[in-house]
């Protein structure tokens, strides 16, 4: 199969040739003809599957082939994404694909001045990539009208809900024309996403290119158990032992990112960090330097790392496990992309056993444990498995006090070695799903 057989027009084929894309990926093979035919789409596709081209190519073709010229302050296609980094990345891809088409494309996101964005929108934009908050600001300030909008794409929809954008999505939805094409992409398909899809999509075609919620199988995944306080030391040890060259590291908090970067830099290691407290320009610079291999270790929070596309990243390290199990899939999706193999190592301490269990349950696998001599934890990480159970080892009964005494002895509650302790509930983010006003909607002719 080729891109030409999928029905793409010559100017797009030329761009793809320049980019060296020869064969459509599975998500592209399914999405491109469906979008060209005007269908709504609900696609379960992880990052790294080529999903961006899957929606952007047919979208650009429809914009180039049909519809009116874009009016002032108007937009004809809108791609909503959860973060600034992803907005930049998606727009960069769109720009490359649209190289030979007479279309105006642009990206807007928060954290930077709104005025240049308002100026740019004055003459209208065919395709706009946007984060929800900034898009609403622009709309409320009358810098943007949606009456020409023909297609809406929700990219990484699960992440938008995780980040609490449900209100914004509901408000945007209310402002959009009812007659439009809607494409929803999500790495994972929780019940909340299915509910959202039910409200926003019209007779969608479902595409699932990887088994539901299963992590990329091109990534070798394993964990090392360690005491929390020794994680930095273990990281440096593994880095030196494995002669790691370029590593993306995930930490749970902004402080955690800063502390690890400081520690690494103190040891003369070329490290930098990105998180939401840093200005956009600083984040972009750190990312660019990492991509150019000028920075060896990039430490990031989940939000900041969202959408990073770094070719051939060999290794991802989870310095902390993610609070939301689905983020594990996003994190390891940074490696093993487009057919290459990758490795994902997680440093896990006893506190994180429930997070580990939730990840194993979600990805339906028991992560291989590899002990590192001299780093065996004092606080043992209980065994876990893909059933979501945390297997507690029996506590040793306390020895009776030598003094004896006639009082009652409490032997404590302990489980038999064959018995499995009940799993504690995994931590689930509280998500609000917007309630949309879903009147009957006509599909695009
Ligand atoms: P995505 O899943 O959209 O983030 O894409 C992952 C990476 O695969 C990006 O670097 C794309 O440029 C690349 N890519 C997408 N489609 C193809 C293709 N058909 N052939 C080669 N590379 C591709």
């Amino acid at each position: 199969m080729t891109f030409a057989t999928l029905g793409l027009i010559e100017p797009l084929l030329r761009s793809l040739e320049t980019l060296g894309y020869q064969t459509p990926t599975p998500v592209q093979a399914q999405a491109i003809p469906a979008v060209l035919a005007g269908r709504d789409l609900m696609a379960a596709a992880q990052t790294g599957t080529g999903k961006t081209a899957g929606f952007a190519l047919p979208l650009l073709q429809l914009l180039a082939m049909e519809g009116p010229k874009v009016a002032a302050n108007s937009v004809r296609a809108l791609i909503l994404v959860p973060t600034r980094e992803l907005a930049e990345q998606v727009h960069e891809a769109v720009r490359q694909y649209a190289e030979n088409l007479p279309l105006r494309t642009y990206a807007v996101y928060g954290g930077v001045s709104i005025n240049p964005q308002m100026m740019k929108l004055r003459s209208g934009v065919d395709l706009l990539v946007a984060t929800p908050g900034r898009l609403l600001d622009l709309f409320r300030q009358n810098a943007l009208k949606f009456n020409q909008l023909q297609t809406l794409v929700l990219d990484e929809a699960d992440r938008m809900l995780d980040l609490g954008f449900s209100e914004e999505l509901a408000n945007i939805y209310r402002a959009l024309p009812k007659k439009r094409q809607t494409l929803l992409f999500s790495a994972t398909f929780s019940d909340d996403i299915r509910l959202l899809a039910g409200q926003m999509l019209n007779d969608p075609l479902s595409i699932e290119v990887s088994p539901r919620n299963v992590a990329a199988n091109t990534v070798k995944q394993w964990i090392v158990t360690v005491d929390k306080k020794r994680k930095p030391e273990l990281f440096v040890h593994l880095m030196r032992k494995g002669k790691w060259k370029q590593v993306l590291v995930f930490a749970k908090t902004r402080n955690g990112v800063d502390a690890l970067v400081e520690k690494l830099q103190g040891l003369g290691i070329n490290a930098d960090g990105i998180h939401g407290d840093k200005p956009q320009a600083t984040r972009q610079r750190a990312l660019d330097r990492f991509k150019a291999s000028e920075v060896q270790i990039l430490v990031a929070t989940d939000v900041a790392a969202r959408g990073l596309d770094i070719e051939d990243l060999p290794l991802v390290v989870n310095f902390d496990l993610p609070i939301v199990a689905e983020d594990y899939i996003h994190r390891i999706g940074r490696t093993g992309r487009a057919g290459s193999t990758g490795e994902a190592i997680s440093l896990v301490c006893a506190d994180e056993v429930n997070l580990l269990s939730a990840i194993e349950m979600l990805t339906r696998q028991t992560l291989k444990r590899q002990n590192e001599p001299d780093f065996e934890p004092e606080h043992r990480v209980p065994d876990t498995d893909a059933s979501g159970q945390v297997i507690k080892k029996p506590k040793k009964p306390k020895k009776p006090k030598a003094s004896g005494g006639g009082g009652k002895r409490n032997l404590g509650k302990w489980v038999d070695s064959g018995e499995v302790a009940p799993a504690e509930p995994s931590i689930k983010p509280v998500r609000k799903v917007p309630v949309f006003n879903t009147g009957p909607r006509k599909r695009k002719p």
Side-chain angles (χ1 to χ4, degrees):
M1 187 192 302
T2 63
F3 284 104
T5 56
L6 294 179
L8 290 181
I9 52 175
E10 201 270 337
L12 289 170
L13 297 176
R14 265 193 288 139
S15 306
L16 295 178
E17 203 176 319
T18 312
L19 290 168
Y21 292 13
Q22 284 168 354
T23 318
T25 65
V27 69
Q28 291 161 2
Q30 294 178 68
I32 291 171
V35 179
L36 287 177
R39 289 286 304 260
D40 278 9
L41 216 64
M42 167 159 149
Q46 296 175 31
T47 187
T49 54
K51 66 184 168 70
T52 315
F55 61 75
L57 291 168
L59 207 61
L60 290 167
Q61 177 154 333
L62 292 179
L63 290 171
M65 305 283 287
E66 18 178 286
K69 196 172 168 315
V70 69
N73 291 103
S74 293
V75 53
R76 296 172 61 209
L78 177 62
I79 303 175
L80 284 176
V81 295
T83 65
R84 308 158 192 186
E85 281 79 9
L86 191 58
E88 276 293 340
Q89 186 185 303
V90 169
H91 183 237
E92 179 53 23
V94 163
R95 225 186 35 72
Q96 290 176 334
Y97 304 145
E99 184 86 339
N100 306 308
L101 292 171
L103 295 172
R104 299 162 60 87
T105 67
Y106 190 47
V108 293
Y109 42 79
V112 293
S113 169
I114 198 167
N115 291 335
Q117 297 178 348
M118 293 172 91
M119 298 271 285
K120 180 86 184 184
L121 291 171
R122 270 189 201 161
S123 40
V125 169
D126 291 292
L127 187 153
L128 184 68
V129 186
T131 52
R134 177 54 60 97
L135 184 83
L136 267 184
D137 281 353
L138 287 160
F139 174 68
R140 286 176 178 148
Q141 297 190 42
N142 295 322
L144 207 52
K145 290 183 288 198
F146 294 125
N147 44 343
Q148 275 197 325
L149 190 110
Q150 56 190 66
T151 312
L152 168 71
V153 181
L154 297 160
D155 191 16
E156 309 213 347
D158 51 346
R159 192 63 186 166
M160 286 200 267
L161 292 189
D162 283 347
L163 291 176
F165 281 133
S166 54
E167 284 294 325
E168 284 86 349
L169 289 182
N171 287 329
I172 292 167
Y173 179 83
R174 277 193 282 273
L176 298 182
K178 293 284 164 270
K179 190 179 155 202
R180 52 149 213 276
Q181 185 179 22
T182 307
L183 319 175
L184 184 147
F185 285 76
S186 193
T188 53
F189 260 73
S190 63
D191 295 338
D192 288 350
I193 290 292
R194 287 178 196 277
L195 191 62
L196 181 76
Q199 292 165 336
M200 293 192 101
L201 304 178
N202 180 25
D203 182 27
L205 178 77
S206 284
I207 294 182
E208 199 160 347
V209 290
S210 53
R212 194 180 166 189
N213 291 346
V214 172
N217 55 13
T218 48
V219 183
K220 186 180 156 205
Q221 302 160 58
W222 47 282
I223 69 169
V224 190
T225 59
V226 63
D227 283 331
K228 194 184 211 156
K229 61 179 186 301
R230 296 196 69 199
K231 280 191 179 187
E233 203 186 330
L234 173 63
F235 178 85
V236 174
H237 166 80
L238 291 173
M239 189 188 129
R240 292 193 169 139
K241 187 174 142 187
K243 299 193 172 57
W244 293 346
K245 289 201 176 64
Q246 205 196 16
V247 194
L248 180 61
V249 185
F250 288 93
K252 193 165 50 188
T253 61
R254 296 164 184 195
N255 287 344
V257 169
D258 289 340
L260 183 60
V261 169
E262 200 175 307
K263 161 112 191 157
L264 296 174
Q265 287 176 342
L267 292 168
I269 296 165
N270 190 353
D272 205 345
I274 53 173
H275 56 61
D277 274 351
K278 298 200 175 195
Q280 176 60 19
T282 313
R283 283 156 69 169
Q284 194 61 48
R285 195 164 51 245
L287 179 59
D288 290 343
R289 292 185 62 224
F290 183 62
K291 281 185 171 182
S293 302
E294 289 163 21
V295 165
Q296 185 189 1
I297 312 278
L298 185 67
V299 190
T301 55
D302 287 295
V303 173
R306 194 71 189 164
L308 297 191
D309 178 28
I310 302 147
E311 264 173 51
D312 295 331
L313 189 64
L315 177 63
V316 164
V317 173
N318 294 311
F319 187 81
D320 302 307
L321 287 184
I323 300 287
V324 180
E326 282 148 8
D327 279 337
Y328 179 82
I329 296 174
H330 294 304
R331 288 179 177 191
I332 73 161
R334 312 291 136 197
T335 181
R337 298 191 130 196
S340 64
T341 53
E343 200 170 351
I345 306 173
S346 303
L347 313 189
V348 182
C349 66
D351 282 1
E352 295 173 307
V353 67
N354 287 326
L355 305 180
L356 175 63
S357 170
I359 289 166
E360 291 182 333
M361 193 161 63
L362 179 72
T363 59
R364 300 186 197 141
Q365 61 181 337
T366 305
L367 289 169
K368 197 168 151 250
R369 293 183 180 213
Q370 204 148 303
N371 280 341
E372 197 54 39
D374 300 330
F375 285 93
E376 282 99 355
E378 280 173 26
H379 301 281
R380 206 184 142 269
V381 181
D383 290 336
T384 49
D385 66 25
S387 70
Q389 296 198 313
V390 176
I391 303 153
K392 300 221 167 95
K393 281 268 156 74
K395 279 185 195 149
K396 282 189 189 148
K398 280 185 189 152
K399 278 188 190 159
K401 286 200 177 117
S403 57
K408 273 192 208 158
R409 245 190 291 135
N410 183 1
L411 290 179
K413 189 171 177 284
W414 60 291
V415 285
D416 185 67
S417 56
E419 200 181 321
V420 172
E424 289 172 38
S426 63
I427 298 172
K428 272 230 142 203
V430 182
R431 291 188 200 151
K432 275 201 287 177
V433 176
V435 179
F436 296 114
N437 179 10
T438 51
R441 205 157 54 74
K442 284 196 217 97
R443 191 147 58 81
K444 228 173 128 326

